[in-house]
Amino acid sequence: MEDDGGESSSFVVGIIENRAKEVGLAAFDLRSASLHLSQYIETSSSYQNTKTLLHFYDPIVIIIPPNKLASNSTAGVTELVDRFYGSVKQVMLARGCFDDTKGAILIKNLAAKEPSALGLDTYYKQYYLCLAAAAATLKWTEAEKGVVVTNHSLSVTFNGSFDHMNIDSTSIQNLEIIEPFHSTLLGTSNKKRSLFHMLKTTKTIGGSRLLRANLLQPLKDIETINARLDCLDELMSNEQLFFGLCQILRKFPKETDRVLCHFCFKAKKVTAEALAVDRAKKSQVLVSSVILLKTALDALPLLSKVLKDVKSSLLSNIYKSVCENEKYDLIRKRIGEVIDEDVLHARVPFVACTQQCFAVKAGIDGLLDISRRAFCETSEAIHNLANNYREDFKLPNLKLTYKNRQGFHFVIPQKNIQGKLPSKFIQVVKHGNNIRCSSLELASLNARNKSAAAECYTRTEVCLEELMDDIRENVSVLTLLAEVLCLLDMIVNSFAHMISTKPVDRYTRPEFTENGPLAIDSGRHPILESIHNDFVANNIFLTEASNMAIVMGPNMSGKSTYLQQVCLIVILAQVGCYVPARFSTVRVVDRMFTRMGAVDNLESNSSTFMTEMKETAFIMQNVSQRSLIVMDELGRATSSSDGFAIAWSCCEHLLSLKTYTVFATHMENISELVTMYPNVKILHFDVELKNNHLDFKEVKRMEVNCLQHHSIQKAYHVAQRLLCLKYCNQDEDTIRQALRNLKESCIKEKLLS
């Protein structure tokens, strides 16, 4: 498998749908050899769920069937891909390639887990579409890349809403989770305004990708979230452990997670015909992977030493499953039998090239030793040539540099060149204050040097065939190691690092309940707080008895910022990180919806009002009792009366559910909801103005409604207090006393009335 060498996506995605608008999706990560399967029913004509997943995976290739079975009333996934992902490579395979029976057999044979653990035996019929997509995706990958996937090597997961919070692509943009608004206009210096870039202090590529995945799909399992928070507690209270892990994680190569694919995929048998220069690149990548794995395993004892006396369950499980696992020592010893002890992973191009050429111990392969000698002779001749040029042309500052594609070339400072450059130098290119050039002699030596290096790579691959087969037998433990390193990188270098840079107690641990309130005391916007020091903290308190907050206030009073702040704090809490608040308790959110801003959508030929209605309809059709809904200025794109009617009806529908809703508006009449529905509260944002106070309420009508609904409001307030006591963490005596106080206050109010 070829290595892209960066943080860009490495997903190949296959998609198929049936006539009932049920979609199956398979996402194959070429970097880490993991397969993610999803199957769901599309609930919107705009295919919002599919857009969200494609936005999440950001594929390099999308595999689709011919568009024959798409329903007449919808565009179908094929046309969706054509319209919104035209820049991504599209591959159309015959529907026969989307075979769910073959897909199930492939998953059983290739998955590292047992079929029973994956649930294939139980849920085979339920997952038939994503299994069909998996069959097509794996078939294309093996044919296109010229590899065979090793049995029992793939990490296979069935992703669903039961595992993670669902955040649609519109909300991802509205909340500035990955990219800020207008990032193309404001430039790269503005990227710190997104939550991802604020937290992106990870040291590995895998850690960065895991962070992005967690922010886009936060956790829902309270036990897993608390395990991460317990780990953070220990890191924040034990400086020696925190700084020790920071130091040790730097010793692991940043591409450790990417090395796995080279052990999960097996190329065709190396023959005399294959030993050609065009194969040298793939051979070099494989050799580099073995060196990288050796470097990672050499650093493992240092990690074991730091984690020996940890207390949190997450870190202790890592110590038991990785540091005490004897298989890693066996793999390291097996590598030591073939690979030279002094070889280490290097990032400097020529050093890395030399390490790869001399990776295998001397004497194992005679042809390899001859190729090495030729490589050394040409490398020495190139350096001697550079020394001669320095003397002959009086260029003492002439430098010899090396790049993987170009090989060796000269770099000469412009200030050292008197007059014209000697005619011996060719391919002259100005680069800043320097001149890059070559010569005919250097070009000849370069060609010989590259040929010798290519021969070294291919002969080394032949020598490593048996070692690679032995490593593939234990590929599951290597997958575990990569996952552990990515998780540690995210928790230590992102979460813990960010908390450690803030003043004490500025970030606190959130609490979680299944059905309790969403309460945030002195919460702050995590992104804006890092830019503005004078950020004003705000509170929110939502329960089943008071599940809607209507936010009112003048323009520029901070309503939109407040809505963003609530969502971002919930996301941070559910990824297992501390949050910017004095105190917080969160009811686990399964879906997060936002409706913010008012702009045309020219791509879909939608006006501002049409865009607003599409987004609102999607929310109303997909809302669940555990959703968190944030709506900003609904109904502004049409007339006042129509907008008010739409906003009022949406609020009434949401009030009938147990979902938590924060609704910002300028419409003063919306505030009348609080007099008719006891589970509504008003939050008013004031601005400092001389001798002026803004009040949007119609007092007389409010007073009439308050008298009419006074009794039910009192009952709701009592119910709200009882719910809070139900989910609080106080001792029994304190709760009993609170109940007595509540009872006495209710009796007193009844006597007064």
Side-chain angles (χ1 to χ4, degrees):
M1 302 293 292
E2 294 183 7
D3 204 332
D4 60 7
E7 295 186 27
S8 58
S9 172
S10 56
F11 279 98
V12 175
V13 170
I15 313 176
I16 187 173
E17 72 168 330
N18 61 15
R19 291 182 182 273
K21 286 191 71 176
E22 192 173 6
V23 178
L25 186 145
F28 190 20
D29 190 354
L30 301 177
R31 188 194 311 273
S32 60
S34 57
L35 182 64
H36 307 275
L37 305 177
S38 302
Q39 187 159 326
Y40 49 91
I41 297 174
E42 267 297 354
T43 53
S44 68
S45 58
S46 60
Y47 284 78
Q48 193 65 46
N49 294 326
T50 305
K51 286 182 186 177
T52 300
L53 281 175
L54 290 175
H55 182 84
F56 174 74
Y57 290 119
D58 189 21
I60 54 174
V61 178
I62 300 178
I63 301 170
I64 49 178
N67 189 23
K68 291 182 180 179
L69 295 185
S71 9
N72 296 329
S73 58
T74 61
V77 292
T78 305
E79 294 182 12
L80 169 78
V81 171
D82 288 338
R83 176 179 291 183
F84 295 101
Y85 301 92
S87 60
V88 180
K89 180 180 179 181
Q90 297 177 31
V91 177
M92 189 171 289
L93 295 182
R95 295 196 72 88
C97 298
F98 291 81
D99 189 326
D100 58 310
T101 305
K102 290 181 180 178
I105 295 171
L106 282 171
I107 298 301
K108 288 180 180 179
N109 291 336
L110 302 179
K113 294 181 181 178
E114 292 294 324
S116 57
L118 291 170
L120 272 183
D121 299 333
T122 309
Y123 301 110
Y124 169 74
K125 292 183 179 179
Q126 177 183 344
Y127 291 136
Y128 76 100
L129 279 176
C130 62
L131 290 173
T137 303
L138 291 169
K139 179 182 178 69
W140 180 87
T141 302
E142 291 188 343
E144 180 71 15
K145 302 297 182 180
V147 296
V148 176
V149 181
T150 308
N151 283 345
H152 307 297
S153 65
L154 290 187
S155 172
V156 181
T157 55
F158 289 94
N159 296 330
S161 59
F162 49 86
D163 292 323
H164 301 89
M165 182 203 301
N166 185 291
I167 309 176
D168 61 274
S169 56
T170 302
S171 298
I172 291 168
Q173 295 172 0
N174 290 338
L175 298 174
E176 300 179 293
I177 296 175
I178 303 300
E179 293 291 342
F181 287 135
H182 313 301
S183 58
T184 54
L185 298 176
L186 296 173
T188 55
S189 61
N190 190 55
K191 283 193 173 180
K192 273 292 179 185
R193 288 190 61 241
S194 77
L195 185 63
F196 174 60
H197 287 94
M198 186 194 80
L199 291 170
K200 190 184 171 186
T201 51
T202 50
K203 303 301 180 185
T204 66
I205 295 173
S208 177
R209 290 167 61 83
L210 181 63
L211 173 64
R212 180 182 182 274
N214 273 260
L215 292 176
L216 292 176
Q217 290 187 334
L219 300 171
K220 284 171 52 182
D221 182 60
I222 295 179
E223 185 179 351
T224 306
I225 297 170
N226 280 327
R228 291 186 179 182
L229 292 171
D230 290 340
C231 177
L232 276 178
D233 287 346
E234 186 170 9
L235 289 170
M236 291 298 97
S237 60
N238 188 340
E239 291 185 1
Q240 185 175 357
L241 174 63
F242 171 56
F243 289 111
L245 280 173
C246 287
Q247 293 294 328
I248 297 304
L249 290 173
R250 289 194 183 101
K251 297 185 180 297
F252 288 91
K254 64 181 294 187
E255 307 91 347
T256 301
D257 71 307
R258 195 191 308 155
V259 73
L260 290 173
C261 67
H262 303 299
F263 302 109
C264 296
F265 301 107
K266 188 173 183 179
K268 296 177 181 179
K269 185 79 174 176
V270 179
T271 61
E273 295 177 0
L275 296 179
V277 177
D278 59 349
R279 184 176 175 80
K281 178 62 178 176
K282 291 184 178 180
S283 300
Q284 183 184 10
V285 171
L286 186 143
V287 176
S288 175
S289 299
V290 176
I291 296 173
L292 189 145
L293 177 60
K294 176 185 177 297
T295 306
L297 293 177
D298 287 344
L300 204 53
L302 300 174
L303 180 65
S304 177
K305 187 177 179 180
V306 173
L307 295 178
K308 188 174 183 181
D309 299 319
V310 293
K311 297 177 182 178
S312 62
S313 60
L314 190 149
L315 293 179
S316 60
N317 286 338
I318 289 175
Y319 180 77
K320 292 174 184 177
S321 60
V322 175
C323 300
E324 292 185 344
N325 194 327
E326 296 179 353
K327 288 187 177 181
Y328 294 107
D329 285 333
L330 295 176
I331 296 174
R332 185 170 55 176
K333 290 177 181 176
R334 180 68 182 90
I335 292 174
E337 294 174 4
V338 182
I339 302 298
D340 193 274
E341 184 180 353
D342 297 328
V343 172
L344 290 173
H345 177 68
R347 302 194 65 82
V348 180
F350 185 67
V351 176
C353 175
T354 306
Q355 294 272 29
Q356 291 154 9
C357 289
F358 287 83
V360 174
K361 290 181 176 179
I364 291 181
D365 185 275
L367 293 175
L368 175 59
D369 293 340
I370 294 172
S371 300
R372 285 172 174 170
R373 196 175 302 119
F375 176 79
C376 290
E377 289 174 354
T378 52
S379 299
E380 185 178 359
I382 289 171
H383 283 85
N384 290 335
L385 179 65
N387 290 330
N388 293 336
Y389 283 178
R390 291 187 188 102
E391 295 176 2
D392 295 345
F393 301 111
K394 297 180 180 179
L395 296 170
N397 293 323
L398 180 145
K399 295 180 180 178
L400 186 66
T401 59
Y402 180 87
K403 290 190 175 181
N404 288 325
R405 290 187 177 182
Q406 300 174 358
F408 287 99
H409 60 277
F410 300 125
V411 175
I412 309 170
Q414 271 190 312
K415 61 182 180 180
N416 294 146
I417 302 174
Q418 304 296 331
K420 290 186 177 181
L421 199 65
S423 59
K424 206 170 191 71
F425 293 102
I426 59 174
Q427 298 175 347
V428 179
V429 177
K430 183 180 178 181
H431 190 269
N433 295 324
N434 298 320
I435 295 291
R436 288 184 179 178
C437 56
S438 182
S439 70
L440 292 175
E441 295 170 286
L442 180 61
S444 175
L445 289 171
N446 244 338
R448 291 166 54 192
N449 185 264
K450 279 188 175 182
S451 177
E455 184 66 20
C456 287
Y457 300 147
T458 50
R459 293 309 308 172
T460 300
E461 182 180 2
V462 174
C463 297
L464 295 178
E465 272 193 284
E466 189 175 342
L467 173 62
M468 291 292 291
D469 290 337
D470 292 342
I471 294 175
R472 287 189 182 103
E473 293 179 3
N474 296 298
V475 73
S476 59
V477 297
L478 300 183
T479 305
L480 174 64
L481 176 61
E483 291 174 354
V484 162
L485 291 176
C486 292
L487 181 61
L488 282 176
D489 185 31
M490 181 181 71
I491 292 177
V492 176
N493 290 322
S494 178
F495 297 168
H497 171 78
M498 183 265 296
I499 297 166
S500 67
T501 59
K502 306 293 182 182
V504 179
D505 295 332
R506 293 287 287 177
Y507 274 65
T508 58
R509 174 175 177 154
E511 302 292 333
F512 287 92
T513 61
E514 288 286 351
N515 298 294
L518 168 60
I520 300 172
D521 180 33
S522 298
R524 304 177 306 280
H525 194 293
I527 302 172
L528 295 182
E529 184 194 32
S530 63
I531 302 172
H532 304 290
N533 296 325
D534 55 348
F535 191 86
V536 178
N538 288 287
N539 307 331
I540 190 169
F541 186 79
L542 297 173
T543 67
E544 290 183 6
S546 179
N547 64 322
M548 177 177 284
I550 296 179
V551 183
M552 307 187 75
N555 287 328
M556 300 300 292
S557 61
K559 299 189 299 298
S560 299
T561 300
Y562 178 75
L563 301 186
Q564 260 197 355
Q565 169 186 311
V566 172
C567 293
L568 293 178
I569 287 177
V570 171
I571 290 172
L572 279 177
Q574 289 193 214
V575 299
C577 182
Y578 285 10
V579 299
R582 184 187 300 160
F583 168 81
S584 60
T585 179
V586 178
R587 183 183 75 170
V588 174
V589 175
D590 63 354
R591 299 197 72 164
M592 185 176 288
F593 299 98
T594 67
R595 211 236 62 79
M596 297 179 176
V599 292
D600 295 335
N601 190 333
L602 299 178
E603 290 182 354
S604 59
N605 195 28
S606 298
S607 65
T608 302
F609 178 68
M610 178 61 74
T611 302
E612 190 176 50
M613 291 302 99
K614 282 182 177 179
E615 292 177 359
T616 304
F618 175 73
I619 294 173
M620 298 302 162
Q621 292 169 3
N622 293 277
V623 64
S624 67
Q625 291 189 346
R626 290 183 177 274
S627 297
L628 175 62
I629 300 177
V630 166
M631 305 188 81
D632 190 9
E633 302 293 351
L634 179 62
R636 290 293 299 275
T638 185
S639 66
S640 299
S641 57
D642 290 350
F644 171 71
I646 292 169
W648 184 279
S649 61
C650 288
C651 287
E652 286 194 316
H653 175 70
L654 295 173
L655 282 168
S656 66
L657 308 173
K658 292 182 180 179
T659 181
Y660 290 166
T661 305
V662 187
F663 192 98
T665 183
H666 273 106
M667 300 175 185
E668 59 269 23
N669 292 337
I670 290 291
S671 61
E672 293 180 26
L673 282 166
V674 75
T675 66
M676 301 174 64
Y677 294 92
N679 50 334
V680 182
K681 65 171 67 174
I682 297 287
L683 303 177
H684 191 90
F685 277 61
D686 284 330
V687 294
E688 294 182 1
L689 296 174
K690 292 182 179 180
N691 302 320
N692 191 13
H693 178 73
L694 297 176
D695 189 354
F696 293 120
K697 300 174 186 178
E698 293 187 17
V699 180
K700 290 184 179 180
R701 191 182 302 175
M702 295 274 285
E703 288 176 353
V704 173
N705 288 332
C706 283
L707 290 172
Q708 184 180 351
H709 301 283
H710 180 65
S711 59
I712 192 171
Q713 283 184 340
K714 286 172 60 178
Y716 259 79
H717 291 157
V718 173
Q720 180 173 326
R721 293 181 185 180
L722 290 173
L723 282 170
C724 292
L725 289 173
K726 178 181 178 181
Y727 295 108
C728 74
N729 297 323
Q730 300 296 325
D731 57 81
E732 187 175 335
D733 292 337
T734 305
I735 295 174
R736 286 183 184 278
Q737 183 60 45
L739 288 171
R740 281 193 290 268
N741 294 340
L742 180 59
K743 182 179 179 180
E744 290 174 3
S745 65
C746 290
I747 294 172
K748 187 176 180 181
E749 286 183 12
K750 187 174 182 181
L751 291 173
L752 291 173
S753 61

